Amino acid sequence: MSELVIKNLHVNVEDIEISKGIDLTIKSGEIHAVMGPNGTGKSTLAYALMGHPKYKVIKGEATLDGVDLLSLAPNERSTLGLFLAFQYPVAVPGVSVANFLRTAINAHRKYLDPEDKGISIPEFRKLLKDKMALLQMDESFAGRYLNDGFSGGEKKRVEILQMATLEPKFSILDETDSGLDIDALKIVADGVNAISSEDQGVLVITHYQRILNYIKPDFVHVMLNGRIVESGGPELALQLEEDGYEWLRERHAA
Amino acid sequence: MARIKPVRRLPFTREMMPSDQAPLLRDYRSAAWEALQELPLPTAKDEAWRRTSLAGFDFSALQVANGKLGKKVPAIPSTAILGPDLLAGKPHAVLQASGIEIKGTSHLEKEGVIFCSLTEAAREHPRLLEKILGKIVSPQEGVFAAAAGAFSQQGIFLYIPEGVTVEEPIFGLAITPGGKTAHFFQTVIYLEESSSAIYLQETLSLEERDEASLSGENLEIHIGPNARLQIAELQNYGKEVWSFGHKKARVERDGYLEWEIGALGSGLSKHFVSVDLIGAGAETRVSGSFFTDGKQHLTYNTLQRHLAPRTTSDLIFKGALKGSSHTVWRGMIYVAEGAQFVDGYQANRNLVLDPAARSDSIPGLEILNNEVRCTHGSTVGKIDEEQLFYLLSRGIPPKEAEQLIIQGFFHDTISRFSLPEIGESFWDKIKERLLG
Ligand SMILES: Nc1ncnc2c1ncn2[C@@H]1O[C@H](COP(=O)(O)OP(=O)(O)O)[C@@H](O)[C@H]1O
Ligand SMILES: [Mg+2]
């Protein structure tokens, strides 16, 4: 059993405080959703946890099984078991999806065992083939350059493919549903459901409750203006769907 | 450090010219020598040399490398990209100041292919050599073109007869001896109508020494109507070598030239690379990949000349720089008045990896008619922070992530190398230096 614990997290972006004290604990096997309108700091939380240099944690802590994440480089956070499916994945021209994934897998293996010689090519091929089949991706994807010229939906699928191959302990899915049509959304959600297990915790970030019909959260949190202002069960998402965020804004107008 | 004595001219005398040459070569070298007398060493005042200073180089200490000056190496240096394993059994030339060895050509000779030393070509095939020698790269073009013409002890001649396709690649290796010598050599390639060949050449030096040395080369290429040449040139000198090159190709009607340039070495390089598309429908694709670190300075002046209608050129040069190295790319597309329906493209992309490194990228167009499409692009930038973070976030450590981005950056030019394994070895050399 693993635990991702975020305590009183304050994050600055370009000297402006965006996250204003966030508390959140996720255990493996749990699916949490963070909802909130655009611009409330959901991605900021995700980036800060992953260690993006522009997102500066000025106060608070974040630990994974007691290990201080904030003192680690982004690649170390990844090898420790944290994963972020980006809202806007960047393209890396000239680097194939396969080459990239293999490098990432080998980096993870080497972190666990410095003597590791890396995944063998047949083993890697098989792994990639299986995971791509799971996400109903064409095999030609492996040879394409990472996110280069990919449609919005293709990019999101490749994010989940990475999650599937790296098998993190905790995954943050930042607006993975945006840009997906309903069929693609189902495929991606099925994929996430198939790979998330008792050993994995998931944080689904969304401003739209649609994805939560497919990836069913155990806990729903609402973020407004850099703070989690309300937490509850799945019914909270449905209530937001009905009533919007206005009642929460009024209640928490500072 | 010894004081460098400034000189206005190359300090070589007529006696240093090779003797015992066939009349054709003798006349050519005499003319080059005469041209050299009119050509002082360039200074910052010369427009084409404005960004390349020769001030730090001790020309006065140099002697022309010949059979006596400049040690002969018995084996191919271990630094070679075109190493002995690759060359074994394949047609190849190994050129040194002291002599030239050519192997693996007997089966090509049956088809009329000539792959021999320039000396032999002048003796045995003067009529062929005459058609090209000095006609594409004129000794008047510059001091180093003239010097290579006058002082080359050795040269390589490749001739492909009409209608002959040589599928297997032909290799050339030019080894500069270093040690306060000036090593000059020439490569001359002639493709007759509807012929085709692949030629890969590497220039390299012996183990790095701290004594400065000079290498000067002329490369002349003629591509006949409907003929096709793929040439790869790898510049892999030690950093004590200052390298100067005049390289020019002429492409006739419907001919095609694929020119791949990869540069890793030398302390300073100044190369002029140009293609004249002289026949309708002629086409060229030129790609350059270079990597510099330390105090290296590399300059490429490229010229795509469209002298006939419906000609196409596509040039891309990519460079990555570390340390306080400096690269300059100056490109020019020229379209002549009568050359309509021309398509020309030039691009230069640079990745500056250290704050002290500097890259100058200067495209240019000179177009004398309206029926053309010419475009250019040039960029100088750093590693993209968002790309880097993306790779880091997947567990890839910073050095490896940078390396992957740089590999991706070079992918389109390096993947063009005629032989994929050459592209791989070339990339491995860059990788070694990124890690080192
Ligand atoms: N890289 C950035 N540079 C400048 N401002 C940023 C950056 N990232 C986020 N912000 C600002 O932080 C606030 C929260 O943004 P974000 O975390 O992306 O919100 P959400 O994901 O909830 O839509 C916004 O006001 C946004 O403009
Ligand atoms: Mg967001």
Side-chain angles (χ1 to χ4, degrees):
Chain A
M1 232 272 298
S2 287
E3 206 175 35
L4 177 65
V5 181
I6 301 158
K7 277 190 194 149
N8 191 28
L9 199 72
H10 292 252
V11 182
N12 275 14
V13 183
E14 284 168 1
D15 292 330
I16 297 168
E17 190 175 25
I18 305 291
S19 302
K20 297 166 181 164
I22 291 174
D23 294 279
L24 188 62
T25 297
I26 305 173
K27 297 189 169 75
S28 38
E30 292 177 356
I31 297 179
H32 290 242
V34 167
M35 303 184 69
N38 272 330
T40 50
K42 302 183 298 296
S43 292
T44 298
L45 171 65
Y47 277 130
L49 287 175
M50 204 67 239
H52 193 296
K54 271 198 195 144
Y55 296 76
K56 299 209 160 60
V57 174
I58 45 166
K59 211 164 130 187
E61 50 186 83
T63 57
L64 199 162
D65 293 340
V67 179
D68 174 20
L69 284 176
L70 302 178
S71 64
L72 299 178
N75 57 304
E76 295 171 309
R77 300 184 196 194
S78 165
T79 38
L80 215 62
L82 189 65
F83 181 86
L84 169 60
F86 284 73
Q87 181 172 5
Y88 303 110
V90 297
V92 190
V95 176
S96 70
V97 170
N99 184 13
F100 160 67
L101 272 176
R102 194 155 163 246
T103 310
I105 289 171
N106 285 340
H108 280 246
R109 289 169 62 128
K110 214 177 170 87
Y111 179 78
L112 293 174
D113 171 14
E115 301 295 308
D116 185 79
K117 294 279 179 285
I119 187 166
S120 76
I121 292 193
E123 194 186 342
F124 174 68
R125 284 221 182 100
K126 182 168 183 328
L127 176 75
L128 194 55
K129 201 169 170 234
D130 291 350
K131 303 294 184 187
M132 285 173 86
L134 182 73
L135 292 159
Q136 299 185 25
M137 294 170 79
D138 192 87
E139 276 179 48
S140 66
F141 256 93
R144 288 178 63 184
Y145 302 138
L146 186 57
N147 295 324
D148 195 17
F150 286 18
S151 71
E154 287 171 338
K155 286 183 186 169
K156 296 302 171 72
R157 239 184 257 199
V158 170
E159 292 297 291
I160 304 307
L161 175 69
Q162 296 173 48
M163 173 184 168
T165 37
L166 295 175
E167 296 181 345
K169 289 183 181 143
F170 290 97
S171 299
I172 304 167
L173 310 185
D174 192 0
E175 308 272 3
T176 298
D177 52 335
S178 69
L180 294 183
D181 60 32
I182 195 77
D183 295 332
L185 177 62
K186 273 186 199 154
I187 294 165
V188 164
D190 286 349
V192 171
N193 290 327
I195 50 192
S196 59
S197 62
E198 284 306 298
D199 305 327
Q200 300 200 18
V202 178
L203 176 62
V204 180
I205 291 176
T206 181
H207 69 278
Y208 190 48
Q209 90 97 32
R210 184 180 69 155
I211 190 174
L212 304 180
N213 294 332
Y214 302 96
I215 303 174
K216 296 232 168 346
D218 306 299
F219 305 92
V220 174
H221 313 275
V222 181
M223 187 180 286
L224 281 183
N225 195 18
R227 288 190 183 89
I228 288 176
V229 294
E230 197 80 30
S231 292
E235 73 289 347
L236 181 54
L238 296 172
Q239 190 183 352
L240 290 168
E241 171 93 333
E242 296 270 302
D243 305 338
Y245 293 105
E246 220 33 57
W247 60 279
L248 281 170
R249 279 209 182 91
E250 275 161 28
R251 191 189 294 178
H252 297 281
Chain B
M1 213 172 78
R3 221 178 76 83
I4 293 171
K5 200 167 122 213
V7 290
R8 285 198 63 239
R9 316 184 146 274
L10 286 176
F12 309 137
T13 61
R14 215 180 161 125
E15 290 68 50
M16 296 177 187
M17 281 167 64
S19 54
D20 187 34
Q21 302 273 7
L24 173 65
L25 267 180
R26 213 167 44 218
D27 294 349
Y28 164 77
R29 299 211 190 286
S30 290
W33 166 261
E34 295 304 328
L36 186 60
Q37 303 319 299
E38 307 298 321
L39 292 163
L41 282 168
T43 66
K45 292 201 190 85
D46 296 276
E47 180 54 28
W49 289 79
R50 234 162 34 88
R51 289 160 200 269
T52 305
S53 167
L54 299 179
F57 196 70
D58 193 0
F59 288 97
S60 70
L62 294 177
Q63 299 204 55
V64 174
N66 56 30
K68 282 166 243 131
L69 276 172
K71 161 177 106 179
K72 179 178 185 322
V73 279
I76 294 169
S78 60
T79 49
I81 294 169
L82 306 181
D85 293 344
L86 185 76
L87 298 190
K90 311 231 176 68
H92 69 272
V94 178
L95 177 151
Q96 301 191 47
S98 53
I100 179 166
E101 269 187 289
I102 296 192
K103 288 185 178 152
T105 57
S106 49
H107 58 295
L108 296 176
E109 282 161 19
K110 285 186 206 114
E111 300 195 71
V113 171
I114 301 167
F115 187 45
C116 69
S117 72
L118 215 53
T119 320
E120 188 184 324
R123 208 173 50 228
E124 308 292 332
H125 314 282
R127 292 242 168 75
L128 293 179
L129 187 58
E130 198 178 31
K131 293 204 282 188
I132 178 171
L133 185 67
K135 304 264 163 54
I136 294 180
V137 175
S138 153
Q140 261 108 27
E141 245 168 58
V143 56
F144 295 103
F151 297 110
S152 283
Q153 299 280 336
Q154 308 294 342
I156 292 173
F157 181 57
L158 174 63
Y159 173 84
I160 315 288
E162 186 175 338
V164 171
T165 292
V166 183
E167 270 174 18
E168 65 178 317
I170 299 169
F171 297 91
L173 214 60
I175 305 172
T176 285
K180 292 190 185 170
T181 64
H183 178 224
F184 295 104
F185 60 93
Q186 286 171 274
T187 308
V188 176
I189 299 174
Y190 198 101
L191 270 73
E192 294 280 12
E193 182 161 356
S194 301
S195 68
S196 145
I198 302 168
Y199 182 66
L200 297 99
Q201 180 160 289
E202 177 175 2
T203 53
L204 73 169
S205 51
L206 298 185
E207 77 279 8
E208 288 208 22
R209 311 178 182 193
D210 41 15
E211 294 164 334
S213 75
L214 184 153
S215 142
E217 52 182 309
N218 288 350
L219 167 62
E220 303 185 73
I221 300 172
H222 172 90
I223 297 179
N226 199 35
R228 184 187 172 90
L229 176 70
Q230 261 180 284
I231 180 168
E233 270 192 279
L234 303 162
Q235 186 271 88
N236 187 20
Y237 289 122
K239 288 188 182 165
E240 75 288 359
V241 176
W242 285 35
S243 156
F244 302 93
H246 285 264
K247 302 168 171 192
K248 211 166 178 179
R250 184 170 72 190
V251 189
E252 289 202 87
R253 171 183 52 81
D254 295 326
Y256 178 76
L257 170 67
E258 162 93 37
W259 196 341
E260 300 134 13
I261 294 169
L264 297 167
S266 81
L268 177 143
S269 275
K270 172 83 177 175
H271 286 234
F272 296 87
V273 172
S274 57
V275 181
D276 283 1
L277 301 167
I278 63 166
E283 184 177 349
T284 187
R285 189 166 81 154
V286 188
S287 38
S289 316
F290 43 88
F291 178 84
T292 55
D293 59 15
K295 296 194 177 90
Q296 283 182 282
H297 173 104
L298 248 67
T299 296
Y300 278 94
N301 287 45
T302 65
L303 175 59
Q304 298 144 263
R305 294 212 306 164
H306 294 262
L307 305 174
R310 289 184 289 103
T311 46
T312 306
S313 70
D314 170 0
L315 178 142
I316 180 158
F317 269 57
K318 286 196 162 184
L321 299 84
K322 278 186 75 77
S324 55
S325 62
H326 179 203
T327 63
V328 182
W329 171 77
R330 276 187 84 145
M332 175 62 77
I333 297 180
Y334 170 83
V335 182
E337 214 170 323
Q340 284 162 325
F341 311 113
V342 153
D343 191 342
Y345 178 74
Q346 57 174 342
N348 171 233
R349 316 256 171 237
N350 300 284
L351 201 48
V352 178
L353 302 171
D354 282 324
R358 194 179 110 211
S359 172
D360 301 336
S361 181
I362 311 149
L365 298 174
E366 192 183 344
I367 296 170
L368 306 181
N369 82 64
N370 298 322
E371 297 291 329
V372 298
R373 196 181 72 186
C374 285
T375 44
H376 60 78
S378 100
T379 51
V380 177
K382 293 191 273 205
I383 292 241
D384 184 83
E385 290 278 333
E386 299 302 325
Q387 286 181 349
L388 187 65
F389 177 66
Y390 189 69
L391 299 186
L392 294 178
S393 80
R394 300 314 186 223
I396 302 171
K399 274 222 154 187
E400 260 184 83
E402 264 194 42
Q403 199 182 295
L404 206 55
I405 292 169
I406 298 165
Q407 187 177 10
F409 168 76
F410 277 120
H411 180 82
D412 53 354
T413 51
I414 289 184
S415 65
R416 286 183 182 183
F417 275 108
S418 326
L419 297 180
E421 62 263 45
I422 301 302
E424 274 163 37
S425 323
F426 182 80
W427 167 248
D428 285 344
K429 293 263 178 202
I430 295 178
K431 202 158 74 177
E432 265 169 40
R433 276 162 67 184
L434 284 171
L435 295 175

